[in-house]
Amino acid sequence: MIIDTHAHVTGPMEMYEYFRGLAGTSGAAMRVKKFEYSDERLEESLAAHLREVAAVGTELQLISPRPWAVPTGDRRENLIVEITRQVNDMIARCVKLHRDRFVALGAMPQRAAVNLKAALEEMDRCVTELGCIGFKINPDPGEGGAETPNMGDEYWYPLYEKMVALDVPGLIHGGPFRFSREPELGYFITEESVGAWALMRSSVFQDFPNLKIIVGHGGGYIPYQIGRARGFRMAEMARDPSLESIDESMRRLYYDTVLYNQESVELLIKIVGVDRCLFGSDKPANGSVIDPRTGRALNDIKPYIDAIEWLTDADRYAIFEGNARKVYSRLAA
Ligand SMILES: [Zn+2]
């Protein structure tokens, strides 16, 4: 079976028009009406998605809300919470309509430097009521500001505690951003790498040995830059021999294969190891364009993995299915 662990569903676009209207209002708290739409409308919004994913042989997708769906930059927490609940509800409805094709990952109502209480409450609701088996973690809810500590900080400990208690993994994934100088291409992989480097330099995995975290988009630039990381860590180990190697720290994390280039996919698997890689495509999204050299969509990831000659059949099974089942232990249920 091919399990795609990284995908987003949009749902009816008019829902976001309604949310944007709310963001444009002023006032402290507001009552947020539930945006209503029919199952038929939801099906209509899913049709092209389902066709595209089936065409490349993917059998099951772990779907979460789009990265821009949670308005982390709004200063009204109740608005962030309400909108997040509604997009999570939309994801759960998609799963209900297509149980054989979709499984739900939730988003959390995060806001810069605010404690994670609302996020934890939504996690409980997502797991117990909506059947979510994991979550997306936005490493930078401050959208470029410095108020939110990095993911190695104890600020995040209540989240890690909850993830372990519920046995749900987290996918580090960029969210909305308001840079004028940095395009999405830079922002996402930079913030995902910043989050992962911080975890690798912290005692988080000593404090939470059962914590499961996946770094999105092929681990950002981590596989490519591991040599410099080794240099830093070796210098630190010379001063403190009790430290583990950076490769050991790197292998405490998991990585998805959302990379649209043969050599990049191969480098990722070689550096982090087969057992740390989960198949992911982020399909459909901006990688859905056709590569004139191959005639296939850039985000048709399976052929890249199939083409790696040194992988065994067992390795391929692990990447396409086995590792996802291990990491997302609620998948079996
Ligand atoms: Zn994504």
Side-chain angles (χ1 to χ4, degrees):
M1 183 183 243
I2 308 291
I3 302 177
D4 183 351
T5 61
H6 187 147
H8 310 288
V9 162
T10 310
M13 276 312 284
E14 55 273 25
M15 182 169 76
Y16 303 97
E17 279 159 33
Y18 167 65
F19 293 157
R20 277 184 206 117
L22 295 172
T25 59
S26 68
M30 60 176 74
R31 217 172 273 150
V32 180
K33 267 197 334 217
K34 177 115 182 157
F35 185 80
E36 301 290 346
Y37 48 91
S38 65
D39 280 351
E40 288 70 34
R41 178 68 191 103
L42 189 55
E43 285 284 21
E44 201 187 331
S45 74
L46 283 173
H49 179 129
L50 286 163
R51 267 198 310 275
E52 182 178 328
V53 172
V56 294
T58 297
E59 286 151 291
L60 195 67
Q61 268 194 322
L62 275 49
I63 53 168
S64 56
R66 290 278 169 201
W68 42 259
V70 174
T72 40
D74 202 293
R75 291 158 65 117
R76 294 161 294 188
E77 197 171 11
N78 78 307
L79 193 63
I80 303 176
V81 169
E82 279 303 323
I83 291 175
T84 308
R85 285 173 69 102
Q86 294 200 34
V87 290
N88 283 332
D89 288 346
M90 182 273 294
I91 295 292
R93 273 178 75 177
C94 294
V95 173
K96 223 172 167 182
L97 291 171
H98 296 278
R99 279 202 190 283
D100 53 332
R101 302 286 300 279
F102 291 146
V103 181
L105 300 184
M108 292 180 285
Q110 293 174 253
R111 184 155 86 75
V114 170
N115 73 54
L116 292 155
K117 189 170 166 283
L120 304 187
E121 283 170 10
E122 180 62 0
M123 284 173 84
D124 274 326
R125 189 185 80 92
C126 281
V127 171
T128 55
E129 291 177 31
L130 305 184
C132 291
I133 64 162
F135 288 86
K136 230 166 26 138
I137 303 173
N138 182 346
D140 179 37
E143 303 186 11
E147 311 95 318
T148 311
N150 70 46
M151 290 186 68
D153 191 274
E154 287 188 14
Y155 164 82
W156 296 89
Y157 273 31
L159 174 74
Y160 301 150
E161 223 165 89
K162 177 68 85 183
M163 286 166 63
V164 171
L166 293 172
D167 190 19
V168 286
L171 167 65
I172 306 180
H173 197 301
F177 62 103
R178 289 154 202 256
F179 283 116
S180 53
R181 56 177 284 278
E182 191 170 17
E184 175 179 326
L185 186 56
Y187 176 75
F188 273 28
I189 57 160
T190 303
E191 282 305 328
E192 288 153 13
S193 304
V194 167
W197 286 131
L199 284 164
M200 285 156 64
R201 291 181 55 82
S202 74
S203 51
V204 166
F205 287 101
Q206 279 75 33
D207 297 335
F208 300 95
N210 297 323
L211 185 67
K212 292 181 282 192
I213 291 188
I214 304 108
V215 192
H217 306 107
Y221 53 77
I222 285 172
Y224 194 65
Q225 292 290 343
I226 192 66
R228 288 193 84 234
R230 287 183 184 132
F232 276 91
R233 181 60 59 88
M234 281 151 103
E236 286 169 335
M237 288 169 81
R239 293 189 294 272
D240 178 2
S242 73
L243 285 171
E244 66 182 18
S245 74
I246 200 73
D247 287 68
E248 281 174 83
S249 304
M250 177 183 69
R251 285 178 43 76
R252 292 180 183 278
L253 294 156
Y254 295 90
Y255 306 82
D256 65 38
T257 62
V258 180
L259 295 162
Y260 304 155
N261 177 52
Q262 180 68 47
E263 290 86 353
S264 309
V265 173
E266 196 160 342
L267 179 73
L268 166 73
I269 301 172
K270 221 177 231 173
I271 295 289
V272 305
V274 165
D275 59 328
R276 311 314 282 185
C277 290
L278 277 64
F279 181 71
S281 76
D282 209 342
K283 193 173 184 62
N286 54 356
S288 297
V289 292
I290 301 297
D291 181 350
R293 295 171 306 172
T294 63
R296 295 190 314 265
L298 285 170
N299 60 12
D300 182 2
I301 307 281
K302 185 173 178 294
Y304 302 133
I305 296 165
D306 287 339
I308 302 175
E309 284 169 12
W310 48 268
L311 289 176
T312 65
D313 287 349
D315 290 343
R316 289 202 180 84
Y317 166 77
I319 294 169
F320 289 135
E321 176 178 352
N323 294 341
R325 291 195 184 279
K326 237 180 260 170
V327 173
Y328 287 95
S329 31
R330 285 177 174 265
L331 197 54

Coordinates of all heavy atoms in Angstrom, one line a residue, residues 106-160:
G106 N -4.8 16.9 12.4 CA -5.4 18.2 12.8 C -4.4 19.4 12.8 O -3.2 19.2 12.7
A107 N -5.0 20.6 12.8 CA -4.1 21.8 12.9 C -4.4 22.3 14.3 O -5.4 22.0 14.9 CB -4.5 22.8 11.9
M108 N -3.5 23.1 14.9 CA -3.7 23.6 16.2 C -3.8 25.2 16.2 O -3.2 25.8 15.4 CB -2.5 23.3 17.1 CG -2.4 21.8 17.4 SD -1.0 21.4 18.4 CE 0.3 21.6 17.2
P109 N -4.7 25.7 17.0 CA -4.8 27.2 17.1 C -3.6 27.8 17.9 O -3.7 27.9 19.1 CB -6.1 27.4 17.9 CG -6.3 26.1 18.7 CD -5.6 25.0 18.0
Q110 N -2.6 28.1 17.2 CA -1.4 28.6 17.8 C -1.3 30.1 17.6 O -1.8 30.6 16.6 CB -0.1 28.0 17.2 CG 0.0 26.5 17.5 CD 1.2 25.9 16.7 OE1 1.1 25.2 15.7 NE2 2.4 26.3 17.1
R111 N -0.7 30.8 18.5 CA -0.5 32.2 18.4 C 0.8 32.6 19.1 O 1.2 31.9 20.1 CB -1.6 33.0 19.0 CG -1.5 34.5 18.8 CD -2.8 35.2 18.9 NE -3.3 35.6 20.3 CZ -2.7 36.6 21.0 NH1 -1.8 37.3 20.5 NH2 -3.2 36.9 22.2
A112 N 1.5 33.5 18.5 CA 2.9 33.9 19.0 C 2.9 34.1 20.5 O 2.2 34.9 21.0 CB 3.4 35.1 18.3
A113 N 3.8 33.4 21.2 CA 4.2 33.6 22.6 C 3.0 33.4 23.6 O 3.1 33.7 24.8 CB 4.7 35.0 22.8
V114 N 1.9 33.0 23.1 CA 0.7 32.7 24.0 C 0.9 31.2 24.4 O 1.3 30.4 23.6 CB -0.6 32.9 23.2 CG1 -1.8 32.4 24.0 CG2 -0.8 34.4 22.9
N115 N 0.5 30.9 25.6 CA 0.6 29.6 26.1 C -0.2 28.6 25.2 O -1.1 29.1 24.5 CB 0.3 29.4 27.6 CG -1.2 29.6 27.8 OD1 -2.0 28.8 27.3 ND2 -1.6 30.5 28.7
L116 N 0.1 27.4 25.3 CA -0.5 26.4 24.4 C -1.9 25.8 24.8 O -2.3 24.8 24.3 CB 0.5 25.3 24.1 CG 1.7 25.8 23.3 CD1 2.9 24.9 23.6 CD2 1.5 25.9 21.8
K117 N -2.5 26.4 25.8 CA -3.7 25.9 26.4 C -4.8 25.6 25.3 O -5.4 24.5 25.2 CB -4.3 26.8 27.4 CG -5.4 26.3 28.2 CD -5.7 27.3 29.4 CE -7.0 27.0 30.0 NZ -8.2 27.4 29.2
A118 N -5.0 26.6 24.4 CA -6.1 26.4 23.4 C -5.7 25.3 22.4 O -6.5 24.5 22.0 CB -6.3 27.7 22.6
A119 N -4.4 25.2 22.1 CA -3.9 24.1 21.2 C -4.2 22.7 21.8 O -4.6 21.8 21.2 CB -2.4 24.3 20.9
L120 N -3.9 22.6 23.1 CA -4.0 21.3 23.8 C -5.5 20.9 23.9 O -5.8 19.7 23.7 CB -3.5 21.4 25.2 CG -2.0 21.8 25.4 CD1 -1.5 21.7 26.8 CD2 -1.1 21.1 24.4
E121 N -6.4 21.9 24.1 CA -7.8 21.6 24.1 C -8.3 21.1 22.7 O -9.1 20.1 22.6 CB -8.6 22.8 24.5 CG -8.5 23.1 26.0 CD -9.1 24.4 26.4 OE1 -9.7 25.1 25.6 OE2 -8.9 24.8 27.6
E122 N -7.8 21.8 21.7 CA -8.2 21.4 20.3 C -7.6 20.0 20.0 O -8.3 19.2 19.3 CB -7.8 22.4 19.3 CG -8.1 22.1 17.9 CD -9.6 22.0 17.6 OE1 -10.5 22.2 18.5 OE2 -10.0 21.8 16.4
M123 N -6.4 19.7 20.5 CA -5.9 18.4 20.3 C -6.8 17.3 20.8 O -7.0 16.3 20.2 CB -4.5 18.3 20.9 CG -3.4 19.0 20.1 SD -1.8 19.0 21.0 CE -1.1 17.4 20.5
D124 N -7.2 17.5 22.1 CA -8.1 16.5 22.7 C -9.3 16.3 21.8 O -9.8 15.2 21.6 CB -8.5 17.0 24.1 CG -7.5 16.6 25.2 OD1 -6.9 15.5 25.0 OD2 -7.3 17.4 26.1
R125 N -10.0 17.4 21.4 CA -11.2 17.3 20.6 C -10.9 16.6 19.3 O -11.7 15.8 18.9 CB -11.7 18.8 20.3 CG -13.1 18.8 19.7 CD -13.5 20.2 19.4 NE -12.9 20.7 18.1 CZ -13.4 20.6 16.9 NH1 -14.7 20.0 16.8 NH2 -12.8 21.0 15.8
C126 N -9.8 16.9 18.7 CA -9.5 16.3 17.4 C -9.3 14.8 17.5 O -9.7 14.1 16.6 CB -8.2 16.9 16.8 SG -8.4 18.6 16.1
V127 N -8.6 14.4 18.5 CA -8.4 12.9 18.7 C -9.7 12.2 19.1 O -10.0 11.2 18.5 CB -7.2 12.7 19.7 CG1 -7.1 11.2 20.0 CG2 -5.9 13.2 19.1
T128 N -10.3 12.7 20.1 CA -11.5 12.0 20.7 C -12.7 12.1 19.8 O -13.5 11.1 19.6 CB -11.8 12.4 22.1 OG1 -12.0 13.8 22.1 CG2 -10.6 12.0 23.0
E129 N -13.0 13.3 19.3 CA -14.2 13.5 18.5 C -14.1 13.4 17.0 O -14.9 12.9 16.3 CB -14.8 14.9 18.8 CG -15.3 15.0 20.2 CD -15.9 16.4 20.5 OE1 -16.3 17.1 19.6 OE2 -15.7 16.9 21.7
L130 N -12.9 13.8 16.5 CA -12.7 13.8 15.0 C -11.9 12.7 14.5 O -11.8 12.5 13.3 CB -12.1 15.2 14.6 CG -12.8 16.4 15.0 CD1 -12.2 17.7 14.3 CD2 -14.3 16.4 14.6
G131 N -11.3 11.9 15.4 CA -10.5 10.8 14.9 C -9.1 11.1 14.3 O -8.6 10.3 13.5
C132 N -8.6 12.3 14.6 CA -7.3 12.6 14.1 C -6.2 11.7 14.7 O -6.2 11.3 15.8 CB -6.9 14.1 14.4 SG -7.9 15.3 13.6
I133 N -5.2 11.4 13.8 CA -4.1 10.5 14.3 C -2.8 11.2 14.5 O -1.8 10.6 14.8 CB -4.0 9.3 13.3 CG1 -3.5 9.7 12.0 CG2 -5.3 8.5 13.2 CD1 -2.9 8.6 11.1
G134 N -2.8 12.5 14.2 CA -1.6 13.3 14.4 C -1.9 14.7 14.1 O -3.0 15.1 13.9
F135 N -0.8 15.6 14.2 CA -1.0 17.0 14.1 C 0.1 17.7 13.3 O 1.2 17.1 13.2 CB -1.0 17.7 15.5 CG -2.3 17.4 16.2 CD1 -2.4 16.2 17.0 CD2 -3.4 18.2 16.1 CE1 -3.6 15.9 17.6 CE2 -4.6 17.8 16.7 CZ -4.6 16.7 17.5
K136 N -0.3 18.8 12.7 CA 0.7 19.7 12.1 C 1.2 20.6 13.2 O 0.4 21.2 14.0 CB 0.0 20.5 11.0 CG 0.7 20.5 9.7 CD -0.2 21.0 8.6 CE -1.3 22.0 9.1 NZ -1.5 23.1 8.2
I137 N 2.5 20.9 13.3 CA 3.0 21.8 14.3 C 3.6 23.0 13.5 O 4.5 22.8 12.7 CB 4.1 21.3 15.2 CG1 3.6 20.0 15.9 CG2 4.6 22.3 16.2 CD1 4.7 19.3 16.7
N138 N 3.1 24.2 13.8 CA 3.7 25.4 13.2 C 4.8 25.9 14.1 O 4.6 26.3 15.2 CB 2.6 26.5 13.1 CG 3.1 27.8 12.4 OD1 4.3 27.9 12.3 ND2 2.2 28.6 12.0
P139 N 6.1 25.8 13.6 CA 7.2 26.1 14.5 C 7.4 27.6 14.7 O 8.1 28.1 15.6 CB 8.4 25.6 13.7 CG 8.0 25.6 12.3 CD 6.5 25.4 12.3
D140 N 6.6 28.4 13.9 CA 6.8 29.9 13.9 C 5.4 30.6 13.9 O 5.1 31.3 12.9 CB 7.7 30.3 12.7 CG 7.8 31.8 12.7 OD1 8.0 32.4 13.8 OD2 7.9 32.4 11.6
P141 N 4.6 30.4 14.9 CA 3.3 31.1 14.9 C 3.4 32.6 14.9 O 2.5 33.3 14.6 CB 2.6 30.6 16.1 CG 3.6 30.0 17.0 CD 4.7 29.6 16.1
G142 N 4.6 33.1 15.3 CA 4.8 34.6 15.3 C 5.1 35.1 13.9 O 5.2 36.3 13.7
E143 N 5.1 34.2 12.9 CA 5.2 34.6 11.5 C 6.4 35.5 11.3 O 6.3 36.6 10.7 CB 3.9 35.3 11.0 CG 2.7 34.4 11.2 CD 1.4 35.0 10.6 OE1 1.5 36.0 9.9 OE2 0.4 34.4 10.8
G144 N 7.5 35.1 11.8 CA 8.8 35.8 11.6 C 9.2 36.6 12.8 O 10.4 37.1 12.8
G145 N 8.3 36.8 13.8 CA 8.7 37.5 15.0 C 9.6 36.7 15.9 O 9.7 35.4 15.7
A146 N 10.2 37.3 16.9 CA 11.1 36.5 17.8 C 10.4 36.2 19.1 O 11.1 35.7 20.0 CB 12.3 37.3 18.0
E147 N 9.1 36.3 19.2 CA 8.4 36.1 20.5 C 8.3 34.7 20.9 O 8.3 34.3 22.1 CB 7.0 36.7 20.6 CG 6.9 38.1 20.1 CD 6.5 38.2 18.6 OE1 7.1 37.4 17.8 OE2 5.6 39.0 18.2
T148 N 8.2 33.8 19.9 CA 8.0 32.4 20.2 C 9.3 31.7 20.3 O 10.1 31.7 19.4 CB 7.1 31.7 19.1 OG1 6.0 32.5 18.8 CG2 6.7 30.3 19.5
P149 N 9.6 31.0 21.4 CA 10.9 30.3 21.6 C 11.0 29.2 20.6 O 9.9 28.7 20.1 CB 10.8 29.8 23.0 CG 9.7 30.5 23.7 CD 8.7 30.9 22.6
N150 N 12.2 28.8 20.3 CA 12.3 27.7 19.3 C 11.9 26.4 19.9 O 11.6 26.3 21.1 CB 13.8 27.6 18.8 CG 14.8 27.1 19.8 OD1 14.5 26.2 20.5 ND2 15.9 27.8 19.9
M151 N 11.8 25.3 19.1 CA 11.1 24.1 19.5 C 11.9 23.3 20.5 O 11.4 22.3 21.0 CB 10.8 23.2 18.3 CG 9.6 23.8 17.4 SD 9.1 22.7 16.1 CE 8.3 21.4 17.0
G152 N 13.1 23.7 20.8 CA 13.9 23.0 21.9 C 13.6 23.6 23.3 O 14.0 23.1 24.3
D153 N 12.8 24.7 23.3 CA 12.5 25.4 24.6 C 11.4 24.7 25.4 O 10.4 24.1 24.8 CB 12.1 26.8 24.2 CG 12.1 27.7 25.5 OD1 11.0 27.7 26.1 OD2 13.1 28.3 25.8
E154 N 11.4 24.9 26.7 CA 10.3 24.3 27.5 C 9.0 24.9 27.3 O 7.9 24.4 27.7 CB 10.7 24.4 29.0 CG 11.8 23.4 29.3 CD 12.1 23.4 30.8 OE1 11.3 23.9 31.6 OE2 13.2 22.8 31.2
Y155 N 8.9 26.0 26.6 CA 7.6 26.6 26.2 C 6.7 25.5 25.5 O 5.5 25.5 25.6 CB 7.9 27.8 25.2 CG 6.7 28.2 24.4 CD1 5.7 29.1 24.9 CD2 6.4 27.7 23.1 CE1 4.6 29.5 24.2 CE2 5.3 28.1 22.3 CZ 4.4 29.0 22.9 OH 3.3 29.4 22.2
W156 N 7.4 24.6 24.7 CA 6.7 23.6 24.0 C 6.4 22.4 24.8 O 5.7 21.4 24.2 CB 7.5 23.2 22.7 CG 7.7 24.4 21.7 CD1 8.8 25.3 21.8 CD2 6.9 24.7 20.6 NE1 8.6 26.2 20.7 CE2 7.5 25.8 20.0 CE3 5.7 24.2 20.1 CZ2 6.9 26.4 18.9 CZ3 5.2 24.8 19.0 CH2 5.8 25.9 18.4
Y157 N 6.9 22.3 26.0 CA 6.8 21.0 26.7 C 5.3 20.5 27.0 O 5.1 19.3 26.9 CB 7.6 21.1 28.1 CG 9.0 20.7 27.9 CD1 9.7 20.9 26.7 CD2 9.7 20.0 28.9 CE1 11.0 20.5 26.5 CE2 11.1 19.6 28.7 CZ 11.7 19.9 27.5 OH 13.0 19.5 27.3
P158 N 4.4 21.4 27.3 CA 3.0 21.0 27.4 C 2.5 20.3 26.1 O 1.7 19.3 26.2 CB 2.2 22.2 27.7 CG 3.2 23.2 28.3 CD 4.5 22.9 27.6
L159 N 2.9 20.8 25.0 CA 2.5 20.1 23.7 C 3.1 18.8 23.6 O 2.4 17.8 23.3 CB 3.0 21.0 22.5 CG 2.7 20.4 21.2 CD1 1.3 20.5 20.8 CD2 3.6 21.2 20.1
Y160 N 4.4 18.6 23.9 CA 5.1 17.3 23.8 C 4.5 16.3 24.8 O 4.3 15.2 24.4 CB 6.6 17.5 24.0 CG 7.3 18.4 23.1 CD1 8.4 19.2 23.5 CD2 6.8 18.6 21.8 CE1 9.1 20.0 22.6 CE2 7.5 19.5 20.9 CZ 8.6 20.2 21.3 OH 9.2 21.1 20.5

